[in-house]
Amino acid sequence: MQGTPRTRPDGSDRVLGERYDTALLDLDGVVYVGGEAVAHAPSSLAAARDGGMRLAYVTNNAARTPRTVAEHLTRIGVPAADEDVITSAQAVSRLIAEQVAPGAPVLAIGGEGLRAALAEQGLRVVESADDGPAAVVQGFGGPALPWGSLQEAAVAVGRGVPWFASNTDLTIPGERGILPGNGAAVEVVRIATRWMPEPPEPRVAGKPLPPMHRETILRTGARHPLVVGDRLDTDIEGACAGGVDSLLVLTGVTDGAQLLAARPDHRPTYVSRDLRGLLAPAPPVTGEAAAGFTCGGWTASAQGPELRLAAADEAESGDPLDGLRALCAAAWTAAGDGVCTLDAAKSLARLGL
């Protein structure tokens, strides 16, 4: 992230869905968790689309094809076409195609989404390190990923074959809790190749890195996009790296404490409880460190080792998200270009966050 670190969430007097031409929406933890839609997601997305905003679904999950993802979205009440879905499998396949000969063999470790994206680029999938691959690529394969495929990847990488990964998310949200992601499988190959004099590192395409942002812009033609996500280390960092605005929703892996402790390139432009944030203006945060930061009916300030929160009236009937926005301003200002270490537990508990 370049320039002065963000010290507070931005305000907007316009509805976000009208201010930006395209929403680049993460899926897991934003639109759905497991097989079910996140609360308010279908109705919010329909209203944003009816208001003229284009919806593009951008996912680091490389296991499924865009068609499969679009069909899933449609089943849960979020109508989508194949071309509305952009995956890290597509981004990494383009990256590989730019590095190898046309039609080159690629050892692919992952699901059908990865294989289809490689085929779209004219590359040929092989199964073994002995098949002469020009590249090795790992993409999320889900619970059916065979251990033997990781062994083939380790052998090929150990022989010096160029190594790629769709993404390195260590975890993904699931219906029963947080589950291992593609980054965990990448770590297996990394561990197996530590013996090399110069241990290799994969070239990674997915969020937050530039190849994914490039793929998204190429496929959507977005001119003034808004990245919408639930993860600071992929969605928000990717938006910062791409120089575009972002909306963090609290329906996935990021909680209030993590948001307050966000480093500069993990600080979102806007914060909302869920996708209803697309349908409303963003309230401004006003004030400064000496007098405290105010949003709605809440004022937050750094006092000694704590972040403290005061309500405008005893009823404390204001939106808790306004309190969180004010706390962000106090925390990020105190941290500057570092990470806030002030204790916010009491204030977050008061907000129910």
Side-chain angles (χ1 to χ4, degrees):
M1 183 177 180
Q2 299 178 346
T4 304
R6 178 179 299 282
T7 58
R8 68 187 71 188
D10 282 2
S12 173
D13 56 3
R14 295 178 60 191
V15 170
L16 297 186
E18 298 173 354
R19 181 169 184 169
Y20 298 90
D21 68 346
T22 306
L24 306 180
L25 294 134
D26 184 47
L27 288 172
D28 291 322
V30 176
V31 180
Y32 56 66
V33 173
E36 302 297 328
V38 169
H40 308 292
S43 58
S44 298
L45 293 172
R49 184 181 60 247
D50 291 346
M53 189 179 217
R54 178 173 180 185
L55 306 178
Y57 302 97
V58 185
T59 178
N60 265 0
N61 189 330
R64 297 185 292 173
T65 65
R67 172 164 296 180
T68 301
V69 174
E71 289 173 349
H72 177 205
L73 287 168
T74 301
R75 282 196 303 272
I76 64 172
V78 182
D82 300 4
E83 58 268 23
D84 297 328
V85 180
I86 301 95
T87 74
S88 62
Q90 293 172 320
V92 77
S93 295
R94 188 184 299 272
L95 189 61
I96 295 169
E98 293 171 346
Q99 306 296 318
V100 303
V106 177
L107 177 57
I109 314 302
E112 181 58 29
L114 180 60
R115 294 167 179 267
L118 290 167
E120 182 185 32
Q121 293 293 336
L123 300 170
R124 179 166 56 89
V125 172
V126 297
E127 306 293 338
S128 169
D130 297 332
D131 291 331
V136 176
V137 59
Q138 290 183 259
F140 186 65
L145 180 68
W147 188 258
S149 65
L150 296 176
Q151 293 177 325
E152 294 299 319
V155 170
V157 173
R159 292 174 178 174
V161 177
W163 183 22
F164 296 82
S166 63
N167 66 295
T168 52
D169 297 28
L170 289 172
T171 62
I172 58 172
E175 293 176 318
R176 296 187 296 159
I178 301 300
L179 305 175
N182 191 55
V186 170
E187 286 300 310
V188 171
V189 177
R190 181 180 282 114
I191 291 168
T193 54
R194 281 181 181 169
W195 58 269
M196 299 176 70
E198 296 184 8
E201 287 291 326
R203 291 195 62 184
V204 183
K207 296 179 287 185
L209 297 172
M212 188 66 175
H213 183 71
R214 179 184 63 159
E215 190 72 19
T216 301
I217 298 303
L218 284 173
R219 289 180 181 266
T220 65
R223 294 179 178 271
H224 192 203
L226 178 69
V227 170
V228 184
D230 69 309
R231 298 185 68 111
L232 301 178
D233 60 348
T234 54
D235 305 315
I236 306 307
E237 184 178 341
C240 289
V244 299
D245 289 346
S246 60
L247 169 66
L248 178 77
V249 292
L250 302 177
T251 50
V253 301
T254 300
D255 61 20
Q258 292 167 330
L259 178 59
L260 297 182
R263 70 192 200 196
D265 61 342
H266 286 180
R267 297 172 187 170
T269 313
Y270 310 104
V271 181
S272 177
R273 187 179 299 279
D274 51 49
L275 286 174
R276 287 176 293 180
L278 292 173
L279 309 179
V285 180
T286 60
E288 55 188 22
F293 298 92
T294 297
C295 185
W298 301 92
T299 298
S301 59
Q303 298 184 28
E306 292 184 317
L307 289 174
R308 296 187 181 178
L309 194 63
D313 59 65
E314 293 300 322
E316 297 187 0
S317 58
D319 185 348
L321 260 295
D322 289 343
L324 181 60
R325 294 177 180 111
L327 283 170
C328 285
W332 299 348
T333 298
D337 60 0
V339 172
C340 181
T341 59
L342 299 178
D343 185 359
K346 292 180 180 178
S347 293
L348 290 172
R350 188 174 181 182
L351 295 172
L353 299 171

